[in-house]
Amino acid sequence: MAADGALLLSLVEEFVSGLQDSKAKDTAAGVRNGQFTVLQLVEALGLSLTSSQPHTRARGVQLLSEVLHECYGNLTEREVEVLIAFYENRLKDHYVITPSVLQGLRALTKCAALPPGSAVSMLRSLFQDVHVQLKGLGADFVFGFVQSMDGERDPRNLLLAFQIAKNIVHRGYDLGKFTEELFEVTSCYFPIDFSPPPNDPHGITKEELIETLRAVLTGTPKFAEFLLPLIIEKLDSDVQSAKLDSLQTLTACVSQYEHKDLAEFLEGLWTSLRREVFQTSSERIESAGLAAVTALTSCLSRSVLNSDSEDSLSTFLDLVLKDCKHHLCEPDLKLVWPSAKLLQAACSASSRASHATTAAVMPSLIEQYSSRTQAMFFVIETLTSVILVQNKIPDQHLPLLSSLLCSEPMDEGDNRAASGQPSHHAMRQRCLSALAAVSTRPGVVRESTPVLLEVLGSVHVEVPQIDQLMSQLEELSCTCSHPLSYNSAAKCFSGLVNKRPQGDSLDSLVQTMMKRVCRELDSSSSPVRTQALTLMIWVSKALLLRYHPLSTALTDKLFSLLDDTDLGAAAADGFSLLMSDSSDVLNRGCHADVRIMYRQRFFSENSAKLVQGFNAAPQEKKSNYLKALSNIVNKLPKQVQITELPALLSLLLEALSCPDQGVQLSTLSCLEPVLVDPPPALIQQLEALVSRLLALTSSPTMSVKIASMRCIHAISRFPEHEILPFRARVLRALARPLDDRKRLVRSEAVQARGEWFLVGSPGGR
Amino acid sequence: MSAGGRLENANPVIFQRSGERLLTASDEDEDVHDRIDDREIFDLIRSINDPEHPLSLEELNVVEQVRVKVNDAESSVGVEFTPTIPHCSMATLIGLSIKVKLLRSLPDRFKIDVQITPGTHASEEAVNKQLADKERVAAALENSSLLEVVNQCLTTRSI
């Protein structure tokens, strides 16, 4: 044996290095008669095969291949397996080696002992690594492949064949004059009708076959002229799965095609697609059909046109519009929905398509809405779908559309429910979603925000995921720097808080919010103090209106902020907000929870606190307290003001001396109605009152001058014997504003002074 | 003054009141100085009541804006009023009311000149002379019954 070993080695040596081709034959003979095994040969080739010289390696492989060529019949399965693995690997090697490798593989394929799956892996490797060479074979290769595939029935082979065909198509092999043949040999299996046998060990599914075949058929525009007629033909089939497959294949193929591939088939395709949607019996088919329409439109939209080519997109859209548009005007026929859906499908494909479609359809839809009042749900449905699908409305339709959408949610009528159409509620939801979707344009936002807020205020709104909404609103209102945004968020949040049912969840919600807000407010360096304050004020209002016990905690916090350097004035203004009627949220019109006399209650519970706070406050902060006080008192009903005022009189008089003009004004406006029917307490304070009022007539601000003179005017109607002592002083003091540079001031002075002249004078009042 | 009883001019022609002066933005602009103009003076006197009728001087066309001339810079104002009939004995009273109203309504610096529209009254010269005389005006206002009537004319009626 050792001699054989040495012999083998020398044979190898002579072939590889000595380049003596005849040695191959000798080696082969040696293997055939059992002198050496293939394994030994491989070992002997070890050095050559691992040489750094490609030519050496090539010779090594060549020797092996030639031996295999002669001896393939003797190989065991295990040996074949190993050799195949080795050869597949060698395909990756230098191109010089490749011919020998191919030779070897060819030899191996003749083995009877070929292990299962090796053919597949061989071909795969071939395609992967050798395609340059194969492409050179070009059409011949295709022909060879087509021939070998023809008539195949085994699903495993078919799967492989489809994969190969896919590779051929996708890798850009030159199909030459065998294009149609390749198409024929694969398309004859379309649509796939395959049921795997039970307990199938190979596990090939129908879907796999469908997918792979589809990849082949749709792989190149060269198949278009064959594939499209095939699809149209198969769409006619009664078998649902065939229809579905055809539609899905169509959708897939148009993504590769251009308009010129489709041009001659547009009418045929449209007729079939239309039929599938108009007369559909299955939702799956319908949606596949609609998807196909979208894909088709999209493809046509993509195409670049030359000067002499027809605009296929507009041709196609004309077909669609012709068949669908008029149905929209007949809401009683059942074709209206399919038509609408087809239009939507076309619309959503591209900007061009949406533009053309909406331009054609919108006017008639809008006109119909205006002229008819019943059963317009489908109009709304269509319009809103169009909007929701592709957010792009031509500008000229926008005003009409937004006003339409704004008016719809407000219609409370429920007469639709009876006719079994989508409930009013559902419709409203749609309108609102559409409205929200379009509200990205400034013009629309202005119109739609009030509507959206109003809807929020309606009783019957069921807000899904309310907790999430609340926390997002809270987040927005505390962090956003845009005033309109954080204000609106605070309003929405508080509107919802006000309507929330009593209970632990509400309490914990409020407390969480409070913690967060206080955290921001207590830190003087926080950048969001204003936002936190805004939120707190609105929530206080929400709770105050419904007499919720937690409102006290919030308002106490607000009171405490009157001392704050930065936020004091804003806090004082906050009281005005608390007490006023808000127009868009938290009012009775929005079905908010508003208890009677909440203002009086608030005032009587807190006025003492306010007075105390004022007395204790440092001089420069007193104005905030006065502002808060006058804000609160101002909003009380007149009767209450009159009753409550005496208690606060000294505070108000103090307020008149306050240098802050805002305080002066609010006190004056507070005082004026009281002067109409003065309580005795006021009469006692006349000296102080008149002095301060006269002082204010010299204020630099015209509004203060005017307001104080109005008060003086009102005092002229007090009991004569009380005011007569002041007459001379008043007349003297009012002489000055007669010459004021502002006419409005002069006229007020004239009126007041004129009345005072009549005091205690004959012929006067 | 007529002793109660028969009205001098029982059936006066009534003229339409002009509307209120319209506010403009500059009226509320503190930086803009509003000069006193004819209209402003007219507004002061137009609602003065007629001693006899429940009508204003404007409604009787006794005063008209065209017959008001003011010069703010020179602190002078001139008003011509037209008695309803040439022998109206109320003329002096009316003139006095106008004068008093302006005295009470204008800054001290103004020189106020109230006269009868030339050619509209038999005794216009005499009346004008009285109205121009400061002492006579002051003395008249010391007279309580005269003052009463004047005050009644100047009382603003709620419309």
Side-chain angles (χ1 to χ4, degrees):
Chain A
M1 286 294 106
D4 293 331
L7 176 59
L8 187 54
L9 274 172
S10 72
L11 282 171
V12 166
E13 176 73 33
E14 282 159 4
F15 183 86
V16 173
S17 316
L19 299 176
Q20 295 179 43
D21 291 339
S22 58
K23 297 300 164 187
K25 276 227 156 13
D26 298 340
T27 321
V31 170
R32 249 204 327 272
N33 62 29
Q35 220 181 340
F36 338 104
T37 67
V38 172
L39 183 57
Q40 285 171 323
L41 173 59
V42 170
E43 278 175 359
L45 282 170
L47 269 175
S48 338
L49 292 174
T50 53
S51 160
S52 55
Q53 294 291 325
H55 284 275
T56 316
R57 295 201 298 275
R59 288 298 284 183
V61 174
Q62 193 180 352
L63 176 57
L64 184 56
S65 301
E66 291 199 19
V67 167
L68 287 176
H69 190 67
E70 307 277 329
C71 309
Y72 60 82
N74 301 4
L75 297 169
T76 67
E77 193 172 312
R78 180 81 192 126
E79 286 172 325
V80 172
E81 207 176 326
V82 169
L83 285 167
I84 289 178
F86 168 74
Y87 270 96
E88 283 180 359
N89 221 289
R90 291 296 97 211
L91 280 175
K92 297 180 174 48
D93 206 335
H94 200 273
Y95 66 83
V96 159
I97 305 176
T98 313
S100 322
V101 175
L102 289 174
Q103 208 186 359
L105 280 173
R106 216 172 72 190
L108 288 168
T109 54
K110 297 192 200 148
C111 291
L114 202 62
S118 48
V120 178
S121 72
M122 266 200 276
L123 281 165
R124 203 172 275 142
S125 313
L126 274 174
F127 273 90
Q128 217 162 294
D129 304 313
V130 200
H131 63 273
V132 174
Q133 268 91 321
L134 283 179
K135 260 197 190 170
L137 288 173
D140 291 333
F141 176 74
V142 174
F143 182 67
F145 173 75
V146 166
Q147 278 199 315
S148 67
M149 192 186 152
D150 198 10
E152 184 57 63
R153 298 189 65 81
D154 187 327
R156 295 167 293 172
N157 294 342
L158 277 179
L159 199 57
L160 173 62
F162 293 157
Q163 282 166 351
I164 297 170
K166 182 178 94 173
N167 277 324
I168 292 175
V169 160
H170 280 247
R171 299 267 178 99
Y173 280 68
D174 177 23
L175 303 176
K177 53 189 190 290
F178 299 114
T179 310
E180 193 168 355
E181 271 78 9
L182 182 60
F183 181 80
E184 296 275 303
V185 82
T186 46
S187 67
C188 59
Y189 299 99
F190 177 83
I192 298 274
D193 183 16
F194 169 67
S195 332
N199 309 314
D200 177 24
H202 307 289
I204 296 180
T205 62
K206 184 176 173 183
E207 282 67 42
E208 267 184 278
L209 287 167
I210 290 178
E211 297 281 323
T212 331
L213 177 57
R214 189 176 294 161
V216 177
L217 296 176
T218 62
T220 165
K222 292 197 176 62
F223 284 164
E225 58 180 311
F226 313 114
L227 180 58
L228 293 170
L230 179 65
I231 287 178
I232 296 174
E233 185 200 323
K234 297 297 175 186
L235 269 178
D236 250 338
S237 154
D238 290 326
V239 180
Q240 296 287 53
S241 64
K243 274 200 217 278
L244 194 59
D245 200 352
S246 309
L247 288 170
Q248 288 171 342
T249 307
L250 176 60
T251 307
C253 76
V254 294
S255 61
Q256 313 278 351
Y257 293 174
E258 294 200 11
H259 71 103
K260 60 177 174 12
D261 303 315
L262 294 164
E264 61 181 294
F265 300 107
L266 282 179
E267 258 196 75
L269 284 170
W270 168 245
T271 312
S272 302
L273 288 170
R274 185 191 64 202
R275 187 192 60 225
E276 291 313 318
V277 176
F278 272 18
Q279 295 159 22
T280 185
S281 50
S282 141
E283 204 183 306
R284 275 191 82 190
I285 304 257
E286 190 191 34
S287 56
L290 292 171
V293 169
T294 307
L296 192 50
T297 316
S298 190
C299 167
L300 294 171
S301 309
R302 267 201 311 271
S303 308
V304 178
L305 305 172
N306 336 336
S307 53
D308 57 352
S309 64
E310 196 195 326
D311 183 358
S312 315
L313 177 63
S314 84
T315 314
F316 183 66
L317 288 177
D318 283 341
L319 285 170
V320 175
L321 285 168
K322 186 166 71 93
D323 287 332
C324 293
K325 188 170 157 188
H326 63 275
H327 290 303
L328 294 183
C329 305
E330 303 150 7
D332 306 318
L333 297 183
K334 55 187 180 81
L335 285 178
V336 69
W337 280 115
S339 301
K341 288 186 198 178
L342 281 166
L343 285 168
Q344 283 169 36
C347 215
S348 55
S350 70
S351 308
R352 269 182 72 198
S354 81
H355 207 270
T357 323
T358 51
V361 165
M362 219 42 120
S364 82
L365 278 181
I366 292 178
E367 192 231 312
Q368 277 200 75
Y369 181 78
S370 329
S371 60
R372 300 207 206 184
T373 49
Q374 291 175 354
M376 280 298 109
F377 66 96
F378 87 92
V379 174
I380 306 292
E381 184 73 27
T382 319
L383 282 175
T384 50
S385 312
V386 163
I387 292 166
L388 288 169
V389 149
Q390 43 76 34
N391 221 346
K392 280 188 182 185
I393 313 293
D395 282 332
Q396 77 260 31
H397 296 306
L398 213 45
L400 206 50
L401 190 59
S402 55
S403 57
L404 190 157
L405 289 174
C406 288
S407 62
E408 182 55 34
M410 294 305 103
D411 184 358
E412 292 285 346
D414 242 323
N415 51 334
R416 296 182 181 123
S419 40
Q421 293 154 3
S423 77
H424 178 68
H425 179 71
M427 267 251 284
R428 241 159 76 120
Q429 297 288 81
R430 276 198 80 92
C431 283
L432 287 172
S433 317
L435 200 56
V438 222
S439 298
T440 52
R441 312 263 195 104
V444 184
V445 170
R446 243 173 271 133
E447 276 192 59
S448 63
T449 314
V451 175
L452 290 168
L453 277 174
E454 202 178 325
V455 171
L456 202 59
S458 115
V459 184
H460 302 297
V461 161
E462 295 124 25
V463 181
Q465 300 174 309
I466 186 154
D467 292 317
Q468 202 187 354
L469 176 65
M470 298 288 278
S471 68
Q472 281 184 338
L473 284 172
E474 186 187 312
E475 187 63 36
L476 183 63
S477 65
C478 283
T479 54
C480 182
S481 57
H482 183 240
L484 178 63
S485 302
Y486 69 73
N487 263 299
S488 305
K491 284 188 195 178
C492 288
F493 186 85
S494 58
L496 290 167
V497 163
N498 174 269
K499 290 190 188 170
R500 191 99 175 215
Q502 192 86 1
D504 290 331
S505 79
L506 174 61
D507 291 353
S508 69
L509 177 72
V510 172
Q511 274 156 352
T512 320
M513 179 228 86
M514 254 317 262
K515 267 205 206 76
R516 188 209 181 122
V517 159
C518 287
R519 203 176 56 231
E520 301 296 343
L521 290 173
D522 292 338
S523 139
S524 57
S525 59
S526 159
V528 292
R529 291 183 92 213
T530 312
Q531 287 87 328
L533 179 65
T534 309
L535 180 60
M536 192 175 84
I537 292 172
W538 278 104
V539 177
S540 314
K541 187 177 169 84
L543 294 174
L544 188 64
L545 290 177
R546 62 186 276 187
Y547 282 6
H548 194 278
L550 282 175
S551 68
T552 319
L554 277 88
T555 51
D556 282 348
K557 182 75 188 171
L558 196 57
F559 278 122
S560 75
L561 283 172
L562 291 173
D563 281 323
D564 188 280
T565 324
D566 301 311
L567 294 178
D573 289 336
F575 284 101
S576 172
L577 205 152
L578 272 184
M579 305 288 273
S580 324
D581 281 328
S582 154
S583 57
D584 49 9
V585 77
L586 289 177
N587 59 54
R588 288 217 168 80
C590 294
H591 306 281
D593 188 354
V594 181
R595 305 293 167 88
I596 56 167
M597 295 172 57
Y598 77 89
R599 294 185 183 95
Q600 286 90 303
R601 198 169 133 153
F602 179 69
F603 176 75
S604 49
E605 281 171 7
N606 290 284
S607 60
K609 206 180 296 183
L610 205 49
V611 173
Q612 263 167 22
F614 171 81
N615 289 333
Q619 190 60 34
E620 65 275 10
K621 297 289 185 332
K622 284 200 199 293
S623 62
N624 290 339
Y625 282 86
L626 292 172
K627 214 185 276 186
L629 179 69
S630 56
N631 279 334
I632 297 171
V633 172
N634 248 336
K635 298 292 186 301
L636 293 175
K638 293 291 174 263
Q639 275 309 112
V640 180
Q641 280 184 9
I642 289 162
T643 341
E644 298 288 348
L645 223 47
L648 302 166
L649 206 50
S650 48
L651 203 58
L652 287 176
L653 286 176
E654 180 99 35
L656 287 178
S657 315
C658 179
D660 182 298
Q661 281 162 13
V663 177
Q664 289 166 358
L665 266 175
S666 56
T667 313
L668 288 167
S669 65
C670 204
L671 214 41
E672 200 188 326
V674 182
L675 297 174
V676 170
D677 189 10
L682 199 58
I683 311 272
Q684 279 147 30
Q685 302 266 34
L686 214 46
E687 166 65 47
L689 187 59
V690 172
S691 306
R692 286 183 167 78
L693 288 173
L694 289 180
L696 287 175
T697 60
S698 332
S699 162
T701 314
M702 68 187 268
S703 50
V704 173
K705 281 188 271 213
I706 293 172
S708 64
M709 285 193 286
R710 278 221 275 267
C711 289
I712 293 173
H713 187 154
I715 294 177
S716 71
R717 304 213 172 108
F718 279 21
E720 193 181 288
H721 62 279
E722 303 283 358
I723 58 172
L724 201 50
F726 300 99
R727 183 178 185 260
R729 227 168 98 191
V730 171
L731 291 177
R732 224 172 15 248
L734 288 179
R736 198 167 150 226
L738 287 180
D739 209 3
D740 195 274
R741 61 205 303 250
K742 298 308 294 178
R743 182 169 303 120
L744 290 170
V745 175
R746 294 195 292 261
S747 89
E748 202 60 54
V750 164
Q751 288 176 55
R753 197 167 190 253
E755 285 306 309
W756 273 89
F757 264 107
L758 298 174
V759 168
S761 193
R765 212 164 284 275
Chain B
M1 274 187 17
S2 70
R6 227 170 43 89
L7 291 173
E8 284 221 343
N9 186 357
N11 241 349
V13 178
I14 301 177
F15 293 77
Q16 194 176 33
R17 289 166 46 86
S18 55
E20 295 306 309
R21 184 181 194 141
L22 292 171
L23 269 187
T24 65
S26 65
D27 284 334
E28 290 175 354
D29 184 347
E30 305 236 21
D31 297 326
V32 175
H33 184 163
D34 306 322
R35 294 280 168 200
I36 300 177
D37 57 15
D38 295 345
R39 174 68 198 250
E40 189 168 343
I41 305 296
F42 182 63
D43 281 337
L44 290 175
I45 62 179
R46 64 196 257 218
S47 304
I48 296 175
N49 304 322
D50 182 84
E52 281 191 310
H53 308 88
L55 295 163
S56 70
L57 295 185
E58 177 191 16
E59 284 162 336
L60 291 167
N61 216 30
V62 171
V63 295
E64 298 164 85
Q65 188 170 333
V66 296
R67 297 200 187 279
V68 173
K69 296 275 179 292
V70 65
N71 190 322
D72 194 355
E74 290 174 13
S75 306
S76 69
V77 62
V79 175
E80 287 177 350
F81 67 98
T82 316
T84 49
I85 46 176
H87 293 285
C88 175
S89 55
M90 299 279 121
T92 321
L93 185 54
I94 292 171
L96 188 59
S97 307
I98 295 172
K99 182 110 190 194
V100 170
K101 181 73 199 256
L102 292 174
L103 280 169
R104 289 178 180 175
S105 308
L106 291 173
D108 282 337
R109 60 184 172 96
F110 270 87
K111 181 176 175 323
I112 302 167
D113 185 29
V114 179
Q115 298 196 3
I116 294 182
T117 308
T120 60
H121 197 266
S123 336
E124 54 191 62
E125 264 187 54
V127 173
N128 290 346
K129 201 160 154 215
Q130 281 178 34
L131 291 175
D133 190 335
K134 274 197 189 137
E135 277 84 26
R136 286 215 45 186
V137 168
L141 293 176
E142 304 268 311
N143 181 330
S144 58
S145 38
L146 192 52
L147 183 58
E148 188 179 346
V149 180
V150 168
N151 278 343
Q152 279 168 350
C153 291
L154 298 184
T155 304
T156 42
R157 248 180 292 131
S158 47
I159 293 149

